[in-house]
Amino acid sequence: MEKAKPLLSDQTSEHIYHCAKCGLCLDACPVYREMLVESASPRGKVQLARHIVEGDLEITKHMEDILFSQCLLCGSCVAACPSGVKQDELFSSLRWRAAERHGMPIVKKLFFFVMAHKWIMSTSAWFGKWARKLFSGPAIEKKVIVGNLPISGVPAFNEQPFNSLYPEVVPAVGEKRASVLYFHGCATNFVFDNIGKAVVSVLTKMGVEVRIPRGQSCCGLPIFLSGDRKTSLICIKEVLDQFAREDCDAVIVDCATCGSALRHEHSHILKELKALGENVDDEIIKKAELLSSKVRDVSEYIAEHMDWIPEMKNGGPAVKVTYHDPCHLVKGQGVGAQPRNILKAIPNVEFIEMNEADRCCGGGGEYQIEYGDMSARITNRKVENVEKSGAAMMATGCPGCNITIRAHLDPEKNISVVHTVELLAKALEGDTN
Amino acid sequence: MIEKDVLNNLRTIVGEENLLTSKEDLINYSYDSSIDEAMPEVVLFPGTTEQVSEILKMASKKKIPVTVRGAGTNLSGGTVPLKGGIVLVMTRMKKVIEFSKENRYIIVEAGLPNLEMQKIVMKEGLFFPPDPASWAVATMGGNVGENAGGPRGVKYGVTRDWILGLKVVMADGRVINTGGVTMKNVTGIDLTSLFCGSEGLLGVVTEVALKLLPIPPFQQSIQAFFDDVDDASKTVADIIASGIIPVSLELLDRVVINMVEDSRKIGLPRDAEGMLIMMVDGFEDDCRKQSAQIEKICKKHKAKNVEIAQTKEQEDALWKARRDAFGVMSQKRPNCILEDVTVPVSNLPAMVKGTLEIGEKYDLTVGVMAHAGDGNTHPMIVTDKRDAEEWERVEKAIGEIFKLAVDLGGTLSGEHGIGISKKPFMDLIYGEPEYQLMRELKKVVDPEGILNPGKMADALYAE
């Protein structure tokens, strides 16, 4: 049988041939840990990918289900693989082909359409804010849960999008040491303006000029990881237009997932599309690589310039703080020591390491909504570890993990969930709470 | 072909969700960590010994092959369903049956991964010595089936030395209990040893009673680098001869060091031709004496650099790199043929040297790793099975490596088992008198020949 257009670029499919089937990824995978079935493991999917690429297996509905319901795309396997297989690129590409073949539910397509068009997104978020205000009362009372996400766990939407709170250039306090672009992402924009404010506060006090381009787009990750690469290109192009610039010292992100998207995913997607003969030119790939080289997670950037942090006053009793490593940050970008260094440098923080700090929280963005049962099993382990740590506060660097974990912590234990940078901001303000 | 009504019966035994027949699932159970593959007809996840018993009873009656499997990380093809039929996956049977701290044993179901069991007993100050590199994932049933070893084997031996008893389901569904829970036991014929290392050919283990040791108060890791891998091998033989039995004594050659460094970047010197990683345990002052003695012997054999690990992080990183060594070999080319030939330790230098020479002769990339302290070498040939011409040379090289091991008084496998991959070489070790006994035993315990057929030796199946 003649092979039609190849399913995957050679670069992506070659990963398959570096899988030694050693099985180390079975230990890393949060889904395999629960299901104990080979298809749930990264090795299982890589071997299925081999049969698909060799023409022996179609991307059936069952295969599509395996790719979506039995994988959080957390990247734990990529970090664990001794052979350098990039399972995340492989599975992301297969999801794309599966979505192409089997279509996407209309609700999802609509949702992605909204996310990709930022003005529609802003308006929707505005409606969302009001809907949250009007309807959340009863929903919280009735303990409404969508998938595994209780509505009560999702924080109230921002009064205004974060993007509208500041001028486009926020000057450094005192001597200007650097100038950065700030990609705030959808979570900070619509839900966590407190994180955005903390980022601006800390960076400017460190002598960094913070430029916040107007009308930022979504990084596209929720869209392309669901297989809708075409729609996600809208986001990718917008992001590159605004942020792929030489004239900045860094592009700061406060979300582990956005960071992963800008640093790795965009280049991979564009290169693969080009290799498969789609309309993607070298220009845009160069832009993606430029942006990738500039991206720094906010905790990474701060940790690189600890000597720029002004003196923090010690006041108040020590608070026990622990840290959860978002998968996209510690495994996807190798950033794990930096947030810990920041926390340990804050005067009244007593840092405690929790058990399995770098294990997945089980949220997986919309995974917890669509595959609530599996998500719950993984999240429950994380919540147990957080509660057992004895900490009063849990810091993390991903709004997804933030929402997922806070929604399931036992309210009686009173453990607050914050972004690392929020604690630093408070300490710099002299707030000893 | 399994008939429909048989499938329905199997479905009734394990439950709908524990029986898989989709093409995707069959593909996923057609392989393990070895190079061979074969499709099963159905995959079953039993939950109890009773279910296993009913399955085997039916399989014997209907003459359906049964291949038992844990996590499927075995390296010799023992879990590849060569003749199709049923793959019996034990991963959902992972309960702890009983744990006695005072009597130092734990009884667990066969599907519990080694490391998961270790974590449970370590909380009580005990440990289970055998630590195969795959321990995070490999199950106790699998460890028993292959008589798994690991780096700690030099001092502590292998799985067989630490099994107190087994619950085994026979091919006809009978359930037997071997051994017991006492440290010493010579009651009756030793059935436990029979099943240990039997690669799924003699029965299905559903529970294992494991002997435990108190965690030693102190441990210390040492690494040494050499300009000549021969010096490293000689150091190993010398350390053992001097009367020190370290916990672990591992050797890596330049090829392996560089592959590990490419992947894990822990700062290993890329120009070292040989490296030894060693561990001693016991009481602190005794350990320090052993380490000093080891250092002396290394230096006697021209070690360039001898370092004692200072922090737990350093130590952990070193051993983790060692555990990853099989996987890192596939970074540049897809297939790594990992062998397991074992020789008396005084012949280790000749085995290592000979292996590297064979690699050169056939123009192949060969790396050598070894549980050097017990003469268990792991030659690794990096290749691409899609390259037919090179594959021919690989097969020739493997044949010569086995022959060399036998000539040096050694054997085909120290811990990975024979499975499919080493079948062709069994005649180097055994002859008709041994095969006849093996055949007779096999016929008695598995008259219909349903348990993992086609493995270990063709002579087992001759009429």
Side-chain angles (χ1 to χ4, degrees):
Chain A
M1 191 181 89
E2 259 241 41
K3 246 200 198 146
K5 241 185 352 176
L7 275 180
L8 307 171
S9 65
D10 284 340
Q11 192 191 15
T12 302
S13 58
E14 191 55 26
H15 283 294
I16 294 170
Y17 295 100
H18 289 274
C19 170
K21 297 180 280 178
C22 74
L24 282 180
C25 54
L26 272 66
D27 175 50
C29 178
V31 183
Y32 176 78
R33 198 184 194 187
E34 302 301 326
M35 293 183 72
L36 301 170
V37 182
E38 183 74 14
S39 61
S41 74
R43 176 177 71 170
K45 293 186 196 62
V46 170
Q47 293 307 310
L48 287 172
R50 178 166 64 97
H51 284 256
I52 289 171
V53 154
E54 290 178 357
D56 174 50
L57 182 69
E58 297 286 315
I59 305 184
T60 57
K61 262 291 193 183
H62 181 37
M63 184 68 211
E64 186 188 31
D65 186 57
I66 289 173
L67 286 165
F68 282 92
S69 74
Q70 295 181 19
C71 177
L72 284 149
L73 270 177
C74 66
S76 302
C77 48
V78 182
C81 180
S83 195
V85 174
K86 294 222 166 46
Q87 297 93 325
D88 56 351
E89 291 184 8
L90 188 57
F91 303 160
S92 164
S93 294
L94 284 173
R95 281 186 174 192
W96 167 48
R97 290 306 199 189
E100 258 186 0
R101 181 166 174 152
H102 297 287
M104 201 173 271
I106 193 78
V107 170
K108 248 187 172 173
K109 275 219 85 93
L110 197 61
F111 189 63
F112 293 150
F113 183 81
V114 166
M115 285 186 85
H117 295 87
K118 53 195 178 189
W119 305 119
I120 307 177
M121 172 76 147
S122 262
T123 319
S124 307
W126 188 84
F127 278 117
K129 180 189 75 179
W130 284 108
R132 180 84 171 56
K133 278 192 180 164
L134 291 173
F135 301 116
S136 62
I140 291 174
E141 271 166 40
K142 289 203 188 118
K143 296 200 166 75
V144 170
I145 298 180
V146 185
N148 192 44
L149 188 60
I151 298 292
S152 57
V154 182
F157 277 43
N158 297 338
E159 271 304 313
Q160 286 165 256
F162 169 78
N163 192 267
S164 64
L165 292 178
Y166 289 90
E168 274 196 71
V169 181
V170 186
V173 170
E175 175 207 336
K176 180 170 108 168
R177 292 169 168 137
S179 175
V180 301
L181 289 168
Y182 178 23
F183 180 89
H184 53 65
C186 300
T188 292
N189 207 15
F190 300 118
V191 181
F192 287 115
D193 58 0
N194 41 312
I195 293 177
K197 289 176 191 167
V199 169
V200 173
S201 165
V202 170
L203 289 180
T204 50
K205 283 183 179 146
M206 284 171 69
V208 179
E209 173 188 80
V210 180
R211 288 141 59 191
I212 311 176
R214 280 265 179 268
Q216 293 183 24
S217 165
C218 169
C219 70
L221 189 136
I223 306 173
F224 57 72
L225 287 193
S226 290
D228 193 353
R229 271 192 184 172
K230 191 151 168 258
T231 306
S232 76
L233 280 176
I234 303 172
C235 302
I236 296 177
K237 290 190 172 136
E238 295 235 14
V239 171
L240 292 177
D241 270 339
Q242 282 192 313
F243 288 90
R245 303 168 65 128
E246 290 280 9
D247 65 347
C248 62
D249 291 296
V251 173
I252 304 294
V253 291
D254 61 36
C255 166
T257 302
C258 296
S260 189
L262 271 55
R263 217 163 185 164
H264 301 307
E265 318 272 0
H266 288 182
S267 327
H268 162 244
I269 289 170
L270 293 169
K271 281 178 183 156
E272 179 151 54
L273 287 172
K274 176 162 195 282
L276 290 170
E278 302 286 334
N279 188 13
V280 169
D281 58 42
D282 283 328
E283 265 304 306
I284 196 172
I285 291 178
K286 275 210 192 75
K287 273 183 166 177
E289 285 174 340
L290 170 60
L291 177 54
S292 172
S293 70
K294 294 277 188 187
V295 168
R296 294 287 182 280
D297 182 82
V298 64
S299 61
E300 189 184 5
Y301 188 77
I302 293 171
E304 263 168 38
H305 301 102
M306 291 295 270
D307 52 328
W308 291 358
I309 303 176
E311 197 193 319
M312 289 176 272
K313 289 176 204 61
N314 190 353
V319 179
K320 290 194 171 137
V321 179
T322 188
Y323 180 77
H324 158 74
D325 290 287
C327 289
H328 283 141
L329 194 55
V330 72
K331 292 152 191 166
Q333 301 174 64
V335 176
Q338 296 90 326
R340 287 173 171 82
N341 290 342
I342 294 171
L343 291 170
K344 286 174 188 170
I346 299 175
N348 58 334
V349 162
E350 185 192 324
F351 182 75
I352 313 180
E353 194 66 54
M354 74 165 108
N355 193 26
E356 298 184 329
D358 65 352
R359 287 263 180 180
C360 185
C361 72
E366 58 110 39
Y367 184 91
Q368 64 200 308
I369 295 172
E370 246 190 290
Y371 306 108
D373 289 332
M374 183 50 59
S375 172
R377 288 162 72 170
I378 302 169
T379 304
N380 290 344
R381 284 185 194 264
K382 173 59 61 174
V383 164
E384 194 184 320
N385 283 325
V386 175
E387 290 173 354
K388 275 203 179 127
S389 72
M393 231 180 220
M394 186 200 92
T396 189
C398 171
C401 300
N402 188 320
I403 292 176
T404 300
I405 296 174
R406 82 165 55 196
H408 293 281
L409 283 171
D410 181 357
E412 296 199 2
K413 299 216 161 64
N414 255 322
I415 303 173
S416 33
V417 176
V418 294
H419 191 293
T420 310
V421 74
E422 286 183 274
L423 285 180
L424 183 55
K426 283 218 167 95
L428 285 174
E429 278 157 32
D431 188 333
T432 58
N433 188 348
Chain B
M1 273 301 302
I2 304 180
E3 300 138 24
K4 220 165 173 199
D5 59 317
V6 175
L7 271 179
N8 284 332
N9 286 337
L10 290 171
R11 201 172 267 122
T12 310
I13 296 171
V14 295
E16 174 81 54
E17 65 286 3
N18 292 311
L19 182 145
L20 305 176
T21 52
S22 75
K23 188 171 179 186
E24 288 82 2
D25 289 312
L26 298 181
I27 287 173
N28 274 149
Y29 287 95
S30 66
Y31 59 80
D32 55 25
S33 296
S34 73
I35 207 113
D36 291 288
E37 297 181 2
M39 291 286 272
E41 272 190 78
V42 62
V43 181
L44 303 176
F45 291 80
T48 63
T49 300
E50 292 68 44
Q51 287 178 15
V52 174
S53 168
E54 288 179 60
I55 292 166
L56 291 187
K57 210 181 291 179
M58 181 167 313
S60 275
K61 206 161 73 168
K62 299 284 181 175
K63 303 207 210 299
I64 304 170
V66 177
T67 307
V68 192
R69 178 191 182 101
T73 53
N74 97 56
L75 292 157
S76 48
T79 38
V80 173
L82 203 54
K83 307 282 182 187
I86 296 169
V87 166
L88 197 64
V89 188
M90 304 297 288
T91 53
R92 287 182 180 161
M93 285 180 67
K94 49 188 297 207
K95 285 201 281 287
V96 174
I97 307 290
E98 189 193 333
F99 177 22
S100 170
K101 184 180 173 180
E102 314 76 24
N103 292 308
R104 297 202 326 250
Y105 68 83
I106 186 171
I107 306 178
V108 302
E109 287 187 323
L112 185 66
N114 182 309
L115 187 56
E116 235 178 283
M117 175 274 300
Q118 301 272 13
K119 286 183 178 161
I120 295 169
V121 304
M122 281 171 76
K123 280 206 183 102
E124 300 298 328
L126 298 170
F127 80 111
F128 179 74
D131 63 338
S134 52
W135 66 346
V137 171
T139 62
M140 288 321 301
N143 283 179
V144 170
E146 299 293 349
N147 192 13
R152 297 203 281 229
V154 189
K155 177 168 180 181
Y156 291 112
V158 294
T159 303
R160 177 180 287 131
D161 304 317
W162 299 91
I163 305 294
L164 298 171
L166 301 169
K167 189 185 290 278
V168 187
V169 182
M170 308 298 293
D172 63 2
R174 265 182 300 156
V175 178
I176 62 165
N177 291 295
T178 75
V181 295
T182 53
M183 294 295 123
K184 296 171 72 172
N185 191 332
V186 289
T187 308
I189 296 178
D190 185 3
L191 300 174
T192 308
S193 281
L194 179 65
F195 289 104
C196 205
S198 64
E199 303 189 30
L201 268 73
L202 302 181
V204 175
V205 173
T206 57
E207 284 177 27
V208 206
L210 306 169
K211 183 157 82 168
L212 306 168
L213 271 186
I215 297 175
F218 190 77
Q219 77 183 28
Q220 193 164 59
S221 296
I222 309 139
Q223 57 184 17
F225 299 100
F226 298 81
D227 278 330
D228 187 347
V229 72
D230 204 36
D231 290 332
S233 316
K234 291 199 176 115
T235 306
V236 170
D238 218 353
I239 291 173
I240 301 293
S242 79
I244 297 178
I245 309 287
V247 176
S248 310
L249 185 40
E250 301 285 295
L251 180 146
L252 282 71
D253 82 337
R254 188 181 46 81
V255 171
V256 180
I257 291 170
N258 276 282
M259 291 277 196
V260 168
E261 194 53 24
D262 285 341
S263 174
R264 296 314 193 194
K265 300 185 185 25
I266 54 168
L268 300 176
R270 288 182 180 276
D271 59 347
E273 287 294 326
M275 173 184 183
L276 293 181
I277 322 178
M278 302 160 276
M279 186 188 283
V280 293
D281 71 4
F283 289 92
E284 188 170 344
D285 47 339
D286 180 53
C287 282
R288 294 198 187 281
K289 286 197 189 114
Q290 287 187 57
S291 301
Q293 177 78 316
I294 287 174
E295 188 172 352
K296 227 160 133 188
I297 298 173
C298 289
K299 293 213 163 112
K300 178 174 136 203
H301 289 281
K302 300 181 258 162
K304 258 189 341 191
N305 197 6
V306 184
E307 277 168 38
I308 296 178
Q310 292 304 326
T311 65
K312 184 129 203 333
E313 285 76 33
Q314 267 180 352
E315 204 177 42
D316 287 347
L318 195 58
W319 287 103
K320 181 173 187 316
R322 165 61 188 84
R323 283 184 204 288
D324 290 347
F326 168 54
V328 304
M329 301 302 281
S330 292
Q331 282 174 92
K332 298 205 170 69
R333 302 185 74 208
N335 305 112
C336 173
I337 312 305
L338 170 63
E339 292 302 344
D340 174 42
V341 285
T342 303
V343 296
V345 74
S346 59
N347 285 334
L348 181 75
M351 187 69 220
V352 173
K353 204 178 201 172
T355 304
L356 293 172
E357 281 167 2
I358 292 169
E360 269 181 48
K361 173 175 170 190
Y362 289 101
D363 192 27
L364 298 166
T365 308
V366 176
V368 175
M369 192 170 63
H371 298 303
D374 38 36
N376 191 171
T377 69
H378 287 313
M380 296 192 281
I381 307 177
V382 177
T383 184
D384 188 335
K385 214 177 169 193
R386 298 174 289 183
D387 181 342
E389 187 277 320
E390 183 170 309
W391 187 248
E392 261 189 63
R393 283 183 277 130
V394 169
E395 292 194 303
K396 289 201 181 105
I398 292 174
E400 284 198 31
I401 289 172
F402 281 121
K403 200 161 175 305
L404 173 63
V406 172
D407 287 344
L408 291 172
T411 192
L412 308 180
S413 174
E415 59 189 5
H416 295 170
I418 302 298
I420 300 171
S421 44
K422 300 178 190 94
K423 258 177 46 174
F425 305 99
M426 284 289 269
D427 288 350
L428 289 174
I429 307 286
Y430 292 118
E432 186 48 29
E434 292 84 25
Y435 286 138
Q436 187 189 349
L437 180 55
M438 290 189 207
R439 249 191 330 263
E440 287 163 351
L441 277 169
K442 172 74 169 162
K443 197 79 185 154
V444 157
V445 299
D446 183 16
E448 304 303 330
I450 60 158
L451 295 175
N452 214 0
K455 309 292 176 72
M456 209 184 267
D458 286 331
L460 272 181
Y461 310 101
E463 282 311 308

